[in-house]
Amino acid sequence: MRFFSILRALAVATALLPNLAAADGRTIIVLDGSGSMWGQIDGKPKLEIAREALAEVLKTIPADTELGLIAYGHRSKGACDDIETLVAPAKGTAQAIADAAAKMQFLGKTPLTESVRRAAAELHSTEEKATVVLITDGIETCEGDPCALAQELESSGVDFTAHVVGFGLTKDEGRQVACLAEDTGGQYITADDLDSLTVALQATVISAPEPVPTPEPAPAPPAKLEVNFAPTLLLAPGVAKPEDSTDIQWEIHAKNPDGSTGDRITTEYNTVKSFIEPGDYRLVTLLDQAKLETDVMLTADTLTAPEIVINAARLILHPKPDAAGEESKDASVNISSASGVDTTNYGPSRFYLPAGDYTITGTMGQASVTETITLKPGDLVERDLIIGSGLAVVDGYYVEGLLMENTQHSVEILAAKQTLDGSHDRITTSYGAGAKFELSPGDYIARVSEGGASAETPFTVKAGERVNVSVILQAGVLAVSAPGASEITVFKAKADINGNRTQMAFVYADTLNVALPEGDYVIETKRDGVAGETNAKVTKGERAEVAVP
């Protein structure tokens, strides 16, 4: 990722300001609370940068500005409906918004389309001008279509504008959300650090200043040709890039006096037939992970049509749990190399890569596979990536036939093989009935625990198959009611060889409900510092209710 200097960030944002609609009327900020905001820029989490920039800008908000805040992905790791209005749009809410952003968690997915839809619906409760400012560091991950939403809102006839601040997005990612702004008359602005994010928020949350008149540039000398630059790209000699949605980027850069690559002047995409001012340039060609720099001399009266051979290969992978299974849309596919390539896609994945040796890692849940591949210039490889995963569904039972239906019990998956100290490595943990785990083929142990009861069941996972695992605790439930008690402690009735009783449960309350193995117990209660004891018996598969007077 390339980071802008402070001066360059300010210059870019200042150039955008004259074209921005003023954020008058009623405005809602939609803030990305997804887990990817923990990613770092210059060693600092993006979420901290976003909070700091937002707090700084909110200090300058006029008191009569009607401003609100919606967040998504901040309460749940996997829910697409995790969208919440933290501050309703009203005057004088700047400090409330800064405080709410400071308390946000950053956990889940990116339902940005539905979040903007909800913000628009809330703003349209009046006839005033409505503005949404979306701050996101990722693209839609909940099957929403931001472009379709933009067209829907624009065609509704209401006075609505959306601005999008892409925080650390790549160019490909930016194009997937920019339409939300462009189709509603707003602006898409990129930000890569604290300074550029602050400037972007000033340009969208605060009314844009009047543009400063600039003198008309001197007219360019008339060109003899309408087109003087028309490059083509080959993966290898005689091998053209296949038709697909991966863009070719043609960057025209200045050349520094020492021969190094200078500032970028312009960028073109895919099929190019353009007129570029005559001069000596550095052409930087980018195709996904492949990059090539070449020199081009452009004149006003000659068509320059360089054939750029980028020496790359295309790799398409279809991640599957097994050879006969369907490809997974959730599996992650990572490609890395000793030369510095490290990129990840999800589901069926297409990569353009420089020729060389690569490590492929596919992951589904806790299951993964790692392979190596050598790609030559012009290779067009498409194949399945067999991750070799199976599905284990674990349920706990008090006794056979009596399902533990609540979500309080823990479900741990342990490696079947013991470590040197006789324990088993924990692989992952979930909670509640019907816990599901994607696992590599092999032997495992499922451990279910609730209260003072616990049991383990070994099981085997096979690739592409589902295994249902039942863990029977041979336990019952003890319900204690002790009105006025400050503490309740449950011990095993039988003391150990040292005369000590094992504590099984404890609460600072006058009621207790706990799962316990079958057996005899002593209930100790405390009222006003005075302890009392009551005997209890728990029968597996049954509920024992004890009232302590």
Side-chain angles (χ1 to χ4, degrees):
M1 178 181 293
R2 296 172 298 220
F3 299 101
F4 297 99
S5 67
I6 295 176
L7 292 177
R8 187 173 180 190
L10 292 171
V12 172
T14 302
L16 289 171
L17 289 177
N19 296 319
L20 289 172
D24 54 359
R26 305 171 76 227
T27 299
I28 287 182
I29 299 169
V30 178
L31 182 57
D32 187 343
S34 64
S36 59
M37 287 287 281
W38 283 101
Q40 295 190 353
I41 293 178
D42 291 341
K44 189 172 185 179
K46 288 186 281 186
L47 61 92
E48 294 184 12
I49 297 173
R51 287 170 172 165
E52 184 175 345
L54 187 59
E56 186 65 27
V57 172
L58 289 171
K59 293 177 183 177
T60 63
I61 295 294
D64 60 349
T65 301
E66 291 193 55
L67 194 62
L69 176 66
I70 286 178
Y72 60 78
H74 66 296
R75 295 175 298 182
S76 173
K77 290 186 178 181
C80 285
D81 61 353
D82 183 14
I83 302 168
E84 182 182 17
T85 300
L86 298 180
V87 179
K91 296 180 180 179
T93 58
Q95 187 59 50
I97 291 173
D99 292 344
K103 296 176 182 178
M104 281 174 57
Q105 301 295 315
F106 294 79
L107 301 169
K109 291 193 172 184
T110 308
L112 63 87
T113 303
E114 183 60 27
S115 299
V116 173
R117 186 191 303 278
R118 292 196 190 180
E122 185 163 345
L123 289 170
H124 290 161
S125 60
T126 71
E127 296 301 318
E128 295 182 33
K129 176 179 175 60
T131 302
V132 170
V133 179
L134 170 64
I135 306 169
T136 180
D137 82 323
I139 59 175
E140 175 69 44
T141 62
C142 288
E143 300 183 354
D145 187 342
C147 297
L149 174 61
Q151 295 172 8
E152 173 187 333
L153 294 172
E154 188 66 10
S155 63
S156 66
V158 297
D159 191 3
F160 175 84
T161 302
H163 301 304
V164 179
V165 179
F167 187 27
L169 296 184
T170 66
K171 292 181 178 178
D172 286 344
E173 292 169 341
R175 280 193 290 275
Q176 297 183 49
V177 295
C179 57
L180 188 57
E182 295 165 357
D183 291 350
T184 60
Q187 285 287 332
Y188 172 68
I189 306 176
T190 61
D192 297 282
D193 54 16
L194 173 61
D195 298 282
S196 59
L197 180 59
T198 302
V199 172
L201 293 178
Q202 290 171 337
T204 53
V205 178
I206 305 176
S207 297
E210 290 297 321
V212 178
T214 55
E216 291 292 329
K224 296 181 181 179
L225 294 177
E226 293 184 359
V227 173
N228 69 342
F229 181 56
T232 57
L233 181 139
L234 299 177
L235 298 183
V239 182
K241 172 190 175 294
E243 291 291 333
D244 55 40
S245 60
T246 303
D247 287 334
I248 307 169
Q249 292 180 230
W250 310 95
E251 293 185 356
I252 299 293
H253 289 253
K255 287 175 61 178
N256 294 325
D258 62 0
S260 61
T261 301
D263 291 339
R264 181 178 61 84
I265 297 171
T266 187
T267 300
E268 305 283 347
Y269 294 92
N270 300 321
T271 301
V272 176
K273 293 182 179 179
S274 300
F275 182 85
I276 307 295
E277 288 300 316
D280 188 11
Y281 297 102
R282 178 71 41 78
L283 172 63
V284 179
T285 306
L286 300 166
L287 178 63
D288 192 7
Q289 302 300 310
K291 177 180 179 181
L292 182 66
E293 297 189 7
T294 52
D295 291 341
V296 292
M297 174 69 76
L298 301 179
T299 64
D301 56 358
T302 303
L303 174 62
T304 300
E307 190 173 78
I308 304 300
V309 180
I310 202 167
N311 290 319
R314 187 186 72 175
L315 175 63
I316 297 177
L317 297 172
H318 301 275
K320 294 182 176 182
D322 64 294
E326 295 184 358
E327 63 184 14
S328 170
K329 296 181 179 179
D330 298 322
S332 68
V333 180
N334 175 265
I335 303 291
S336 62
S337 72
S339 62
V341 172
D342 190 354
T343 183
T344 300
N345 284 350
Y346 292 87
S349 301
R350 178 176 63 246
F351 304 91
Y352 282 93
L353 303 162
D357 297 328
Y358 292 91
T359 299
I360 304 169
T361 302
T363 304
M364 294 175 63
Q366 303 301 314
S368 66
V369 67
T370 298
E371 302 177 1
T372 59
I373 189 172
T374 299
L375 298 173
K376 300 186 295 297
D379 279 350
L380 302 175
V381 179
E382 181 171 4
R383 66 177 182 81
D384 293 340
L385 177 61
I386 307 303
I387 297 176
S389 70
L391 178 65
V393 182
V394 181
D395 275 306
Y397 293 82
Y398 291 106
V399 293
E400 187 172 357
L402 183 56
L403 178 67
M404 300 171 69
E405 297 181 348
N406 60 40
T407 59
Q408 298 176 0
H409 59 275
S410 66
V411 182
E412 297 177 273
I413 302 299
L414 312 174
K417 184 178 179 180
Q418 290 182 317
T419 61
L420 291 177
D421 63 3
S423 62
H424 299 267
D425 289 333
R426 185 182 65 83
I427 297 171
T428 186
T429 302
S430 185
Y431 295 88
K436 297 180 179 180
F437 304 91
E438 291 277 0
L439 299 168
S440 298
D443 296 326
Y444 300 91
I445 295 172
R447 176 192 291 159
V448 175
S449 303
E450 182 177 347
S454 180
E456 297 179 354
T457 298
F459 66 97
T460 299
V461 171
K462 296 181 180 179
E465 295 185 8
R466 169 181 174 138
V467 57
N468 294 313
V469 183
S470 298
V471 182
I472 301 174
L473 275 67
Q474 302 293 2
V477 173
L478 175 62
V480 180
S481 174
S486 59
E487 299 177 16
I488 300 175
T489 309
V490 178
F491 298 94
K492 283 186 177 181
K494 184 177 181 180
D496 62 20
I497 195 170
N498 296 314
N500 299 316
R501 295 184 303 192
T502 302
Q503 179 178 309
M504 301 299 291
F506 173 81
V507 292
Y508 285 110
D510 61 2
T511 60
L512 172 66
N513 196 81
V514 62
L516 295 169
E518 183 174 66
D520 296 320
Y521 297 90
V522 174
I523 303 169
E524 180 182 275
T525 58
K526 286 188 178 181
R527 292 183 176 91
D528 299 324
V530 178
E533 292 188 353
T534 303
N535 293 326
K537 182 178 182 62
V538 174
T539 301
K540 62 183 180 181
E542 297 183 7
R543 178 182 177 88
E545 296 186 352
V546 178
V548 181

PDB file of all heavy atoms in Angstrom, residues 511-531:
ATOM      1  N   THR A 511     -30.023 -17.053  44.636  1.00  0.00           N
ATOM      2  CA  THR A 511     -30.495 -18.183  43.828  1.00  0.00           C
ATOM      3  C   THR A 511     -29.329 -18.733  43.019  1.00  0.00           C
ATOM      4  O   THR A 511     -28.394 -18.003  42.670  1.00  0.00           O
ATOM      5  CB  THR A 511     -31.624 -17.773  42.858  1.00  0.00           C
ATOM      6  OG1 THR A 511     -31.140 -16.766  41.968  1.00  0.00           O
ATOM      7  CG2 THR A 511     -32.849 -17.278  43.612  1.00  0.00           C
ATOM      8  N   LEU A 512     -29.393 -20.029  42.734  1.00  0.00           N
ATOM      9  CA  LEU A 512     -28.333 -20.684  41.959  1.00  0.00           C
ATOM     10  C   LEU A 512     -28.960 -21.793  41.137  1.00  0.00           C
ATOM     11  O   LEU A 512     -29.791 -22.557  41.632  1.00  0.00           O
ATOM     12  CB  LEU A 512     -27.265 -21.265  42.889  1.00  0.00           C
ATOM     13  CG  LEU A 512     -26.194 -22.151  42.243  1.00  0.00           C
ATOM     14  CD1 LEU A 512     -25.328 -21.344  41.304  1.00  0.00           C
ATOM     15  CD2 LEU A 512     -25.352 -22.842  43.303  1.00  0.00           C
ATOM     16  N   ASN A 513     -28.566 -21.857  39.854  1.00  0.00           N
ATOM     17  CA  ASN A 513     -29.026 -22.923  38.963  1.00  0.00           C
ATOM     18  C   ASN A 513     -27.794 -23.480  38.265  1.00  0.00           C
ATOM     19  O   ASN A 513     -27.148 -22.769  37.490  1.00  0.00           O
ATOM     20  CB  ASN A 513     -30.024 -22.366  37.942  1.00  0.00           C
ATOM     21  CG  ASN A 513     -30.812 -23.463  37.250  1.00  0.00           C
ATOM     22  OD1 ASN A 513     -31.779 -23.974  37.782  1.00  0.00           O
ATOM     23  ND2 ASN A 513     -30.395 -23.817  36.045  1.00  0.00           N
ATOM     24  N   VAL A 514     -27.414 -24.744  38.527  1.00  0.00           N
ATOM     25  CA  VAL A 514     -26.149 -25.255  38.032  1.00  0.00           C
ATOM     26  C   VAL A 514     -26.281 -26.732  37.667  1.00  0.00           C
ATOM     27  O   VAL A 514     -26.991 -27.485  38.327  1.00  0.00           O
ATOM     28  CB  VAL A 514     -25.034 -25.058  39.089  1.00  0.00           C
ATOM     29  CG1 VAL A 514     -25.340 -25.814  40.357  1.00  0.00           C
ATOM     30  CG2 VAL A 514     -23.668 -25.428  38.536  1.00  0.00           C
ATOM     31  N   ALA A 515     -25.588 -27.126  36.571  1.00  0.00           N
ATOM     32  CA  ALA A 515     -25.515 -28.531  36.179  1.00  0.00           C
ATOM     33  C   ALA A 515     -24.406 -29.214  36.973  1.00  0.00           C
ATOM     34  O   ALA A 515     -23.299 -28.690  37.092  1.00  0.00           O
ATOM     35  CB  ALA A 515     -25.257 -28.658  34.688  1.00  0.00           C
ATOM     36  N   LEU A 516     -24.708 -30.417  37.504  1.00  0.00           N
ATOM     37  CA  LEU A 516     -23.748 -31.149  38.332  1.00  0.00           C
ATOM     38  C   LEU A 516     -23.826 -32.643  38.021  1.00  0.00           C
ATOM     39  O   LEU A 516     -24.893 -33.145  37.661  1.00  0.00           O
ATOM     40  CB  LEU A 516     -24.038 -30.933  39.820  1.00  0.00           C
ATOM     41  CG  LEU A 516     -23.862 -29.510  40.370  1.00  0.00           C
ATOM     42  CD1 LEU A 516     -24.451 -29.423  41.762  1.00  0.00           C
ATOM     43  CD2 LEU A 516     -22.396 -29.113  40.363  1.00  0.00           C
ATOM     44  N   PRO A 517     -22.710 -33.358  38.201  1.00  0.00           N
ATOM     45  CA  PRO A 517     -22.767 -34.815  38.071  1.00  0.00           C
ATOM     46  C   PRO A 517     -23.673 -35.406  39.157  1.00  0.00           C
ATOM     47  O   PRO A 517     -23.882 -34.815  40.212  1.00  0.00           O
ATOM     48  CB  PRO A 517     -21.304 -35.240  38.266  1.00  0.00           C
ATOM     49  CG  PRO A 517     -20.497 -34.018  38.018  1.00  0.00           C
ATOM     50  CD  PRO A 517     -21.340 -32.876  38.449  1.00  0.00           C
ATOM     51  N   GLU A 518     -24.193 -36.586  38.894  1.00  0.00           N
ATOM     52  CA  GLU A 518     -25.031 -37.258  39.876  1.00  0.00           C
ATOM     53  C   GLU A 518     -24.230 -37.482  41.162  1.00  0.00           C
ATOM     54  O   GLU A 518     -23.071 -37.878  41.136  1.00  0.00           O
ATOM     55  CB  GLU A 518     -25.519 -38.592  39.316  1.00  0.00           C
ATOM     56  CG  GLU A 518     -26.470 -39.335  40.243  1.00  0.00           C
ATOM     57  CD  GLU A 518     -27.025 -40.579  39.574  1.00  0.00           C
ATOM     58  OE1 GLU A 518     -26.209 -41.496  39.313  1.00  0.00           O
ATOM     59  OE2 GLU A 518     -28.231 -40.625  39.310  1.00  0.00           O
ATOM     60  N   GLY A 519     -24.883 -37.201  42.336  1.00  0.00           N
ATOM     61  CA  GLY A 519     -24.190 -37.415  43.591  1.00  0.00           C
ATOM     62  C   GLY A 519     -24.768 -36.575  44.709  1.00  0.00           C
ATOM     63  O   GLY A 519     -25.779 -35.887  44.562  1.00  0.00           O
ATOM     64  N   ASP A 520     -24.092 -36.632  45.874  1.00  0.00           N
ATOM     65  CA  ASP A 520     -24.525 -35.918  47.070  1.00  0.00           C
ATOM     66  C   ASP A 520     -23.704 -34.638  47.225  1.00  0.00           C
ATOM     67  O   ASP A 520     -22.478 -34.634  47.010  1.00  0.00           O
ATOM     68  CB  ASP A 520     -24.347 -36.798  48.304  1.00  0.00           C
ATOM     69  CG  ASP A 520     -25.241 -38.038  48.240  1.00  0.00           C
ATOM     70  OD1 ASP A 520     -26.404 -37.896  47.784  1.00  0.00           O
ATOM     71  OD2 ASP A 520     -24.783 -39.121  48.636  1.00  0.00           O
ATOM     72  N   TYR A 521     -24.375 -33.565  47.669  1.00  0.00           N
ATOM     73  CA  TYR A 521     -23.734 -32.263  47.772  1.00  0.00           C
ATOM     74  C   TYR A 521     -24.161 -31.568  49.060  1.00  0.00           C
ATOM     75  O   TYR A 521     -25.172 -31.930  49.694  1.00  0.00           O
ATOM     76  CB  TYR A 521     -24.102 -31.383  46.575  1.00  0.00           C
ATOM     77  CG  TYR A 521     -23.604 -31.952  45.277  1.00  0.00           C
ATOM     78  CD1 TYR A 521     -24.395 -32.821  44.523  1.00  0.00           C
ATOM     79  CD2 TYR A 521     -22.333 -31.656  44.813  1.00  0.00           C
ATOM     80  CE1 TYR A 521     -23.931 -33.365  43.336  1.00  0.00           C
ATOM     81  CE2 TYR A 521     -21.857 -32.187  43.624  1.00  0.00           C
ATOM     82  CZ  TYR A 521     -22.656 -33.053  42.895  1.00  0.00           C
ATOM     83  OH  TYR A 521     -22.186 -33.581  41.721  1.00  0.00           O
ATOM     84  N   VAL A 522     -23.365 -30.574  49.456  1.00  0.00           N
ATOM     85  CA  VAL A 522     -23.684 -29.719  50.593  1.00  0.00           C
ATOM     86  C   VAL A 522     -23.805 -28.292  50.076  1.00  0.00           C
ATOM     87  O   VAL A 522     -22.916 -27.799  49.371  1.00  0.00           O
ATOM     88  CB  VAL A 522     -22.589 -29.796  51.676  1.00  0.00           C
ATOM     89  CG1 VAL A 522     -22.870 -28.772  52.785  1.00  0.00           C
ATOM     90  CG2 VAL A 522     -22.528 -31.186  52.268  1.00  0.00           C
ATOM     91  N   ILE A 523     -24.916 -27.641  50.444  1.00  0.00           N
ATOM     92  CA  ILE A 523     -25.148 -26.257  50.045  1.00  0.00           C
ATOM     93  C   ILE A 523     -24.838 -25.373  51.246  1.00  0.00           C
ATOM     94  O   ILE A 523     -25.447 -25.515  52.311  1.00  0.00           O
ATOM     95  CB  ILE A 523     -26.603 -26.036  49.606  1.00  0.00           C
ATOM     96  CG1 ILE A 523     -26.965 -26.984  48.457  1.00  0.00           C
ATOM     97  CG2 ILE A 523     -26.826 -24.587  49.205  1.00  0.00           C
ATOM     98  CD1 ILE A 523     -28.452 -27.010  48.155  1.00  0.00           C
ATOM     99  N   GLU A 524     -23.876 -24.474  51.100  1.00  0.00           N
ATOM    100  CA  GLU A 524     -23.536 -23.531  52.159  1.00  0.00           C
ATOM    101  C   GLU A 524     -24.071 -22.155  51.785  1.00  0.00           C
ATOM    102  O   GLU A 524     -23.787 -21.649  50.694  1.00  0.00           O
ATOM    103  CB  GLU A 524     -22.020 -23.461  52.358  1.00  0.00           C
ATOM    104  CG  GLU A 524     -21.603 -22.494  53.464  1.00  0.00           C
ATOM    105  CD  GLU A 524     -20.099 -22.404  53.592  1.00  0.00           C
ATOM    106  OE1 GLU A 524     -19.502 -23.240  54.294  1.00  0.00           O
ATOM    107  OE2 GLU A 524     -19.520 -21.481  52.969  1.00  0.00           O
ATOM    108  N   THR A 525     -24.858 -21.536  52.657  1.00  0.00           N
ATOM    109  CA  THR A 525     -25.383 -20.196  52.422  1.00  0.00           C
ATOM    110  C   THR A 525     -24.889 -19.259  53.505  1.00  0.00           C
ATOM    111  O   THR A 525     -24.577 -19.691  54.623  1.00  0.00           O
ATOM    112  CB  THR A 525     -26.926 -20.198  52.413  1.00  0.00           C
ATOM    113  OG1 THR A 525     -27.390 -20.715  53.663  1.00  0.00           O
ATOM    114  CG2 THR A 525     -27.458 -21.047  51.281  1.00  0.00           C
ATOM    115  N   LYS A 526     -24.810 -17.979  53.175  1.00  0.00           N
ATOM    116  CA  LYS A 526     -24.417 -16.969  54.154  1.00  0.00           C
ATOM    117  C   LYS A 526     -25.450 -15.849  54.160  1.00  0.00           C
ATOM    118  O   LYS A 526     -25.792 -15.303  53.109  1.00  0.00           O
ATOM    119  CB  LYS A 526     -23.030 -16.404  53.837  1.00  0.00           C
ATOM    120  CG  LYS A 526     -21.900 -17.361  54.157  1.00  0.00           C
ATOM    121  CD  LYS A 526     -20.540 -16.695  54.004  1.00  0.00           C
ATOM    122  CE  LYS A 526     -19.415 -17.658  54.371  1.00  0.00           C
ATOM    123  NZ  LYS A 526     -18.078 -17.012  54.243  1.00  0.00           N
ATOM    124  N   ARG A 527     -25.927 -15.554  55.379  1.00  0.00           N
ATOM    125  CA  ARG A 527     -26.841 -14.429  55.590  1.00  0.00           C
ATOM    126  C   ARG A 527     -26.272 -13.573  56.719  1.00  0.00           C
ATOM    127  O   ARG A 527     -26.067 -14.071  57.826  1.00  0.00           O
ATOM    128  CB  ARG A 527     -28.240 -14.921  55.963  1.00  0.00           C
ATOM    129  CG  ARG A 527     -28.999 -15.658  54.867  1.00  0.00           C
ATOM    130  CD  ARG A 527     -30.401 -16.015  55.367  1.00  0.00           C
ATOM    131  NE  ARG A 527     -31.217 -16.642  54.344  1.00  0.00           N
ATOM    132  CZ  ARG A 527     -31.295 -17.949  54.153  1.00  0.00           C
ATOM    133  NH1 ARG A 527     -30.549 -18.757  54.905  1.00  0.00           N
ATOM    134  NH2 ARG A 527     -32.083 -18.447  53.221  1.00  0.00           N
ATOM    135  N   ASP A 528     -25.999 -12.344  56.395  1.00  0.00           N
ATOM    136  CA  ASP A 528     -25.453 -11.407  57.397  1.00  0.00           C
ATOM    137  C   ASP A 528     -24.217 -11.982  58.067  1.00  0.00           C
ATOM    138  O   ASP A 528     -24.001 -11.851  59.282  1.00  0.00           O
ATOM    139  CB  ASP A 528     -26.508 -11.078  58.453  1.00  0.00           C
ATOM    140  CG  ASP A 528     -27.740 -10.408  57.864  1.00  0.00           C
ATOM    141  OD1 ASP A 528     -27.561  -9.618  56.921  1.00  0.00           O
ATOM    142  OD2 ASP A 528     -28.855 -10.682  58.332  1.00  0.00           O
ATOM    143  N   GLY A 529     -23.373 -12.659  57.257  1.00  0.00           N
ATOM    144  CA  GLY A 529     -22.120 -13.211  57.767  1.00  0.00           C
ATOM    145  C   GLY A 529     -22.249 -14.529  58.482  1.00  0.00           C
ATOM    146  O   GLY A 529     -21.241 -15.117  58.887  1.00  0.00           O
ATOM    147  N   VAL A 530     -23.494 -15.024  58.653  1.00  0.00           N
ATOM    148  CA  VAL A 530     -23.706 -16.296  59.348  1.00  0.00           C
ATOM    149  C   VAL A 530     -23.896 -17.400  58.315  1.00  0.00           C
ATOM    150  O   VAL A 530     -24.745 -17.289  57.411  1.00  0.00           O
ATOM    151  CB  VAL A 530     -24.939 -16.222  60.266  1.00  0.00           C
ATOM    152  CG1 VAL A 530     -25.177 -17.565  60.941  1.00  0.00           C
ATOM    153  CG2 VAL A 530     -24.752 -15.118  61.303  1.00  0.00           C
ATOM    154  N   ALA A 531     -23.085 -18.484  58.401  1.00  0.00           N
ATOM    155  CA  ALA A 531     -23.135 -19.571  57.427  1.00  0.00           C
ATOM    156  C   ALA A 531     -24.070 -20.673  57.906  1.00  0.00           C
ATOM    157  O   ALA A 531     -24.176 -20.961  59.101  1.00  0.00           O
ATOM    158  CB  ALA A 531     -21.744 -20.146  57.204  1.00  0.00           C
TER     159      ALA A 531
END
